[in-house]
Amino acid sequence: MNNMGLYKKTFSRLHASGSLDLEVMEMKKRGTGFRCRRSLLVFTAIMTVMLAMSAIAYAAAGDKIVERVKVWLGSESVDLKEGEISQNEDGDFVIKIKIDDKTYKAD
Amino acid sequence: MRFDIDEIFERYKDHIFAIGFNYFQNSIDADDVVQEVFYKLYKSNKDFESEDHLRNWLIRVAINECKRVTLSSWFKKKEPLEDYAKTLVWNDPEESEVFLAVMNLPKKYRTVIHLYYYENYSIKEIADLLGMSSTAVSTQLLRGRKKLKEKLLEVWKDE
């Protein structure tokens, strides 16, 4: 037997783990990788707005904070109007965003 | 040309495992490479011109994955090579000698030797896969063979 034959015979003894077969199946069931849920996107957007609002509030003069804030959810933009941003009795800002007939609130 | 991932997985998983094992010398990291390569294949939705094109793609991705994991500070899974070698069933004592001799080669020689003898690639193809010059590949192949000959004596024939 030549070197190539001997090498191939030797390394053909190596096998991937049997459990990998199941993992490939699971991959197919899950679909193509991780999908970001819409609610997670919204939550992230709210948190981003909260941070932005903190920065804006800090720079604002007097009681007037912001009149208009635009929020980006993925590729969509949503205008937050005045009525959707309010301040509660503790001085915390409360943001309500309405998307697809659902209202999301963050404070 | 589209291929059934299950079929491709069955046909090439051990090839990819062997590349990963050749690189890391342990089955845990080698299994991770297999999983990552086929996950990338599944995600890529790529159209291949032929099965050879697909095979080359798998091997290239496997090699790149091995390099990427090597650079990552998290990789340090170790299973002693000798422990793994004991789990393998050899038909011939020569096979176990060849296995241990190859695994004891420096990594750069092992990779070239493996692609040449197991995957049947030419020097030019190996150079393309590894991003090296053909001269460098030839040199590594020559040196790898020389070391194998020193270790294996008559078991490894002169070429």
Side-chain angles (χ1 to χ4, degrees):
Chain A
M1 186 184 293
N2 64 15
N3 291 335
M4 190 170 277
L6 178 57
Y7 191 101
K8 282 186 176 170
K9 202 161 78 107
T10 302
F11 280 84
S12 66
R13 306 288 170 211
L14 273 62
H15 296 289
S17 160
S19 67
L20 283 177
D21 296 342
L22 299 172
E23 283 170 31
V24 168
M25 291 301 135
E26 279 305 307
M27 223 160 57
K28 287 171 82 170
K29 272 195 232 162
R30 276 200 315 261
T32 48
F34 174 69
R35 280 196 194 137
C36 199
R37 290 172 187 238
R38 191 171 174 76
S39 56
L40 179 61
L41 272 176
V42 170
F43 174 75
T44 308
I46 291 174
M47 293 309 294
T48 307
V49 167
M50 285 296 303
L51 286 170
M53 288 301 294
S54 303
I56 291 166
Y58 181 78
D63 293 329
K64 190 175 176 181
I65 307 300
V66 291
E67 284 190 339
R68 189 183 172 120
V69 174
K70 196 183 271 284
V71 176
W72 289 89
L73 300 178
S75 58
E76 297 169 31
S77 71
V78 175
D79 280 343
L80 290 184
K81 297 187 180 49
E82 215 173 307
E84 292 176 61
I85 306 168
S86 58
Q87 198 169 11
N88 64 17
E89 58 215 20
D90 294 330
D92 296 325
F93 290 100
V94 178
I95 300 170
K96 283 184 191 170
I97 305 172
K98 201 172 174 184
I99 300 166
D100 294 344
D101 296 323
K102 282 189 184 172
T103 301
Y104 298 88
K105 183 179 146 191
D107 51 20
Chain B
M1 201 181 270
R2 294 295 179 126
F3 295 91
D4 177 43
I5 193 165
D6 291 330
E7 227 178 271
I8 294 303
F9 181 75
E10 282 309 312
R11 207 172 299 162
Y12 292 108
K13 64 179 178 175
D14 290 343
H15 286 255
I16 304 304
F17 180 83
I19 288 172
F21 194 92
N22 190 287
Y23 221 88
F24 297 117
Q25 296 186 310
N26 78 84
S27 59
I28 299 166
D29 289 331
D31 275 336
D32 285 349
V33 172
V34 174
Q35 186 173 334
E36 192 59 32
V37 167
F38 283 95
Y39 182 63
K40 282 184 168 150
L41 174 66
Y42 182 71
K43 262 176 63 175
S44 80
N45 234 0
K46 199 176 158 69
D47 224 351
F48 295 95
E49 291 160 13
S50 63
E51 192 168 327
D52 267 351
H53 182 203
L54 168 61
R55 177 180 156 252
N56 292 346
W57 187 90
L58 288 170
I59 289 174
R60 192 186 293 270
V61 170
I63 290 168
N64 288 340
E65 180 61 19
C66 290
K67 287 179 184 171
R68 186 194 69 79
V69 171
T70 306
L71 292 171
S72 158
S73 59
W74 289 104
F75 116 94
K76 284 293 171 208
K77 297 173 205 173
K78 281 290 178 199
E79 170 199 17
L81 182 62
E82 294 71 23
D83 287 357
Y84 182 75
K86 286 177 191 165
T87 68
L88 299 173
V89 177
W90 308 111
N91 276 351
D92 208 319
E94 280 183 354
E95 292 173 15
S96 101
E97 287 177 46
V98 168
F99 176 75
L100 289 171
V102 170
M103 286 295 125
N104 280 313
L105 290 175
K107 192 193 296 182
K108 55 184 177 181
Y109 299 162
R110 270 201 321 264
T111 307
V112 168
I113 290 274
H114 186 80
L115 292 174
Y116 186 85
Y117 286 105
Y118 195 73
E119 298 296 341
N120 239 5
Y121 281 118
S122 67
I123 287 175
K124 175 148 186 348
E125 286 167 332
I126 296 171
D128 285 342
L129 277 171
L130 299 180
M132 291 166 58
S133 68
S134 298
T135 314
V137 170
S138 295
T139 305
Q140 288 181 5
L141 187 60
L142 191 69
R143 289 177 183 169
R145 280 171 175 159
K146 189 176 167 202
K147 284 193 177 287
L148 285 176
K149 182 67 188 172
E150 284 166 7
K151 205 82 176 157
L152 297 169
L153 303 171
E154 298 82 28
V155 172
W156 192 260
K157 295 176 176 43
D158 290 318
E159 289 180 82

